[in-house]
Amino acid sequence: KQEVTQIPAALSVPEGENLVLNCSFTDSAIYNLQWFRQDPGKGLTSLLLIQSSQREQTSGRLNASLDKSSGRSTLYIAASQPGDSATYLCAVEGGANNLFFGTGTRLTVIP
Amino acid sequence: NAGVTQTPKFQVLKTGQSMTLQCAQDMNHNSMYWYRQDPGMGLRLIYYSASEGTTDKGEVPNGYNVSRLNKREFSLRLESAAPSQTSVYFCASRGGHLLAQYFGPGTRLLVL
């Protein structure tokens, strides 16, 4: 069974810093990897999806990379803002309907 | 577009009671999903529906049933609620050219 790990579980940074969130997975046979944001008491918002044939995706200040062979993905957030404070979840898809989630990294950006 | 909507937002049940969680999407997606989210465990797939008229079990289906009423709606039923089913339930649909998953706002369920 695919296992997805996100370290650290929590992270605090001062506003303006660049930061990297990590995601690792045990089975490299994936279809895609998706990064989500979850605000307290809310649903999940899709940030970026990287297909298995891709190495990275970018959206604004966010950049996600994928290294299937090593079972790793990173989410880079540039020039962090207090509004970026949320929990960030990584999920890998191992089949047409099998999405496995990590437990997330709770990010706090301090003004 | 409302995206994915869920009702109710919050529910308290007594052990043994039944209820149905409703989910609807207006994005014309074929696939729909039900997940539960528990502290320290991440989201886990309960059931999914790859298309109208089909449903399949996910990782944690015991104690639940589902109905894919039509392309828009996918409901989750708890026939006899147990305290272990206290959780936050999310519905999602999948589509678009990247086949990303889109989530509803969740239903918080407390079983006493």
Side-chain angles (χ1 to χ4, degrees), chain A residues 1 32 34 36 38 40-46 49 51 54 57 89 93 95-103, chain B residues 31 33 35 37 40-45 48-50 58-59 90 94 97-106 108:
Chain A
K1 177 192 162 189
N32 61 52
Q34 198 167 353
F36 294 89
Q38 185 174 28
K42 304 289 186 181
L44 280 68
T45 300
S46 179
L49 183 149
Q51 295 178 313
Q54 298 175 315
Q57 280 286 333
L89 298 167
E93 182 166 353
N97 291 292
N98 241 0
L99 201 62
F100 294 94
F101 282 83
T103 52
Chain B
S31 299
Y33 307 80
Y35 295 89
Q37 184 177 36
M41 307 235 8
L43 278 83
R44 291 178 293 168
L45 183 64
Y48 65 93
S49 170
E59 183 182 354
F90 288 101
R94 183 170 184 257
H97 73 285
L98 292 178
L99 295 179
Q101 291 207 11
Y102 299 87
F103 283 74
R108 279 158 181 72

